[in-house]
Amino acid sequence: MRVLVAGATGVIGRQLTGLLADKGHEVIALARNPERAAASGSGVRAVRADALDADGLSAAVVRAEPEAVVNLLTAIPRKVDSRRLDRDFAATNLLRTRGTRNLVEAAKAAGVQRMVGESVAFGYRPAPDGGLRDETSPLWTTGPEQFRPVVTALRELEERTTGEGGTVLRFGHLYGPGSAFDRDGNFTQQVRKRMLPLVGEGNAVFSFVHAQDAAAAVLKALEGDQDVVRGATYNIVDDDPAPVSTWLPELSRVLGAKAPMRVPVWLVRPMIGSYGVAFMNELQGADNGLAARGLGWQPSRASWREGFAAELGASTTNR
């Protein structure tokens, strides 16, 4: 299958291009920097295009003649200020709205029949029961003010993708190479320096997924029975959702860092804002049952615990 990957240089994209090539697919990496995209894996053909330039993008996609398109477009900065989430995600929100619209139209012009789009599994509205959210659960459109544009953009991306028969994958918090939880990632560095405290009770539930498992889910969606995956949405997360109060101390232990400090919400709210507080106390975990049943996907790393140990433990820090 000839697969065009938009966002091939991102955390998932770098894993996906190599995986597709290994499985015998022809890979076309769409990027504004084709040299960087070509370096993402052997056998990858890079094409220059800007997702926000509708005409240029359409011409590039039509020339590439893909049979499938994967939308992994993001522009998330290495460090995100939770007080200014709307500012730091403005470029990504634009890619998820206008960029997705342009990519969908370009794919249609090229006669593409298969499309996969990237969303997130941690944008669900908190519920009183605190249980895991499935794909029918509502998104948090009334959440903290800084988070609302992010959710609005995600919802538009999902509707445009599924509306054209594409598949939406809602990924959990990514870890692995190039992520914020990589050995030199932003979160990891903060934990090492004891700069990431437990805020309040740390009740937010995180559903993690390794970048390689995320890429494997994209492959499943591309190769799966289109009668099943067409227009479907799946949570792509591991089997071990955990509150911040569990995973943050464990991450500190794996890194050989001091245990995180615990601070009251009232003390840090002015510094981290309402979304920062929600990030630590209100985010909801996600259920991956539908992905197992409908997509035939299961994480190779069933728990972030084994994943963190393998990626970040003492035996790996000097690789």
Side-chain angles (χ1 to χ4, degrees), residues 194-269:
R194 214 186 183 198
M195 295 174 61
L196 189 64
L198 273 171
V199 176
E201 297 300 316
N203 289 329
V205 176
F206 276 49
S207 287
F208 288 100
V209 65
H210 192 282
Q212 290 177 349
D213 285 331
V218 176
L219 181 66
K220 285 283 189 181
L222 290 171
E223 295 182 339
D225 184 344
Q226 288 300 290
D227 289 338
V228 175
V229 303
R230 183 177 174 82
T233 299
Y234 299 101
N235 288 332
I236 304 301
V237 298
D238 73 14
D239 299 333
D240 189 16
V244 176
S245 59
T246 296
W247 68 256
L248 182 53
E250 177 62 12
L251 178 57
S252 300
R253 187 194 67 77
V254 168
L255 293 171
K258 292 182 179 180
M261 295 181 287
R262 187 182 291 273
V263 297
V265 169
W266 65 265
L267 181 64
V268 295
R269 186 184 293 275

Side-chain angles (χ1 to χ4, degrees), residues 73 76 87 117 134 136 139 145 149 173 182 199 202 217 229 233 278 296 307:
L73 294 168
I76 302 171
R87 178 202 67 188
D134 66 20
T136 66
L139 298 179
E145 184 176 354
H173 294 273
D182 196 1
V199 176
V229 303
T233 299

